[in-house]
Amino acid sequence: MSDVTTPASDAPDAPETVATYLRLRGLKPSSKNWKRKKRVAVDDDNAPFTPGRDPGSLGAVLDRLSRESGWQTTLAREDLVRQWADLAGADTAKHSEPVSLERGLLTVKCDSTAWAKNLQYMRGTILTEIGRRYPDAGVENLRFIGPDVPSWKWGPRVVPGRGPRDTYG
């Protein structure tokens, strides 16, 4: 049985299963066909010691994500409303709360007209502080309103007139 050859003697670099297959088919295995070519691919993004390879902080990643997604204005407005007590002061925040922010106008509702008037005097200071802390919020003006008076108007249609005064006497 000298014509039976081992895979290692025929083709030392060919895989054993391939060499066995070729032997059974009556073909001589050759090692040069089965060598894998090394592909040289230059991947600059994954090269070591290149800029940007160091892991970034979570805050920097979230900041970049919010900037690229266009969420910075929305997040700044939410932070302004959420941190109103830090911005205006704890005592002032007990008696006032921001209710809307549309087209650069921040509307703040107060418990009484006295609080609304006092905050109107502090308007410049509060507006400067908002611009310093939350520049992306887009607040250009402040409006302080007092408590709502009861309304006798219900429904989509309203008839002009004296209202409830003519009903009671």
Side-chain angles (χ1 to χ4, degrees):
M1 295 271 217
S2 60
D3 26 320
V4 176
T5 58
T6 62
S9 63
D10 287 343
D13 292 337
E16 184 178 343
T17 55
V18 174
T20 305
Y21 172 75
L22 291 174
R23 242 189 358 269
L24 291 174
R25 297 280 287 163
L27 303 171
K28 184 176 181 181
S30 84
S31 63
K32 65 181 178 182
N33 294 341
W34 298 103
K35 285 186 180 177
R36 295 191 183 258
K37 293 181 183 178
K38 291 184 181 178
R39 294 183 184 180
V40 178
V42 177
D43 190 9
D44 291 337
D45 292 337
N46 293 327
F49 307 111
T50 57
R53 290 280 298 170
D54 292 334
S57 66
L58 183 61
V61 171
L62 290 176
D63 185 44
R64 188 178 65 219
L65 173 70
S66 67
R67 199 174 338 104
E68 290 172 357
S69 301
W71 298 337
Q72 284 208 295
T73 303
T74 306
L75 291 175
R77 289 177 175 183
E78 292 295 326
D79 283 345
L80 170 64
V81 171
R82 190 174 48 87
Q83 296 175 357
W84 175 252
D86 294 336
L87 181 72
D91 193 34
T92 304
K94 288 179 187 175
H95 300 282
S96 64
E97 64 176 334
V99 290
S100 72
L101 177 56
E102 296 175 353
R103 289 179 253 132
L105 176 67
L106 176 65
T107 305
V108 179
K109 183 178 176 184
C110 302
D111 287 349
S112 67
T113 53
W115 273 102
K117 194 62 173 176
N118 284 333
L119 288 179
Q120 186 68 30
Y121 291 137
M122 296 173 44
R123 176 181 174 179
T125 307
I126 295 173
L127 193 58
T128 304
E129 192 66 20
I130 289 173
R132 187 181 67 78
R133 289 188 188 185
Y134 309 103
D136 293 332
V139 177
E140 299 170 1
N141 205 353
L142 285 172
R143 178 177 169 214
F144 298 99
I145 57 173
D148 289 336
V149 295
S151 173
W152 296 94
K153 299 178 182 181
W154 294 298
R157 296 181 188 90
V158 177
V159 177
R162 292 192 57 200
R165 280 176 237 102
D166 61 352
T167 308
Y168 297 117

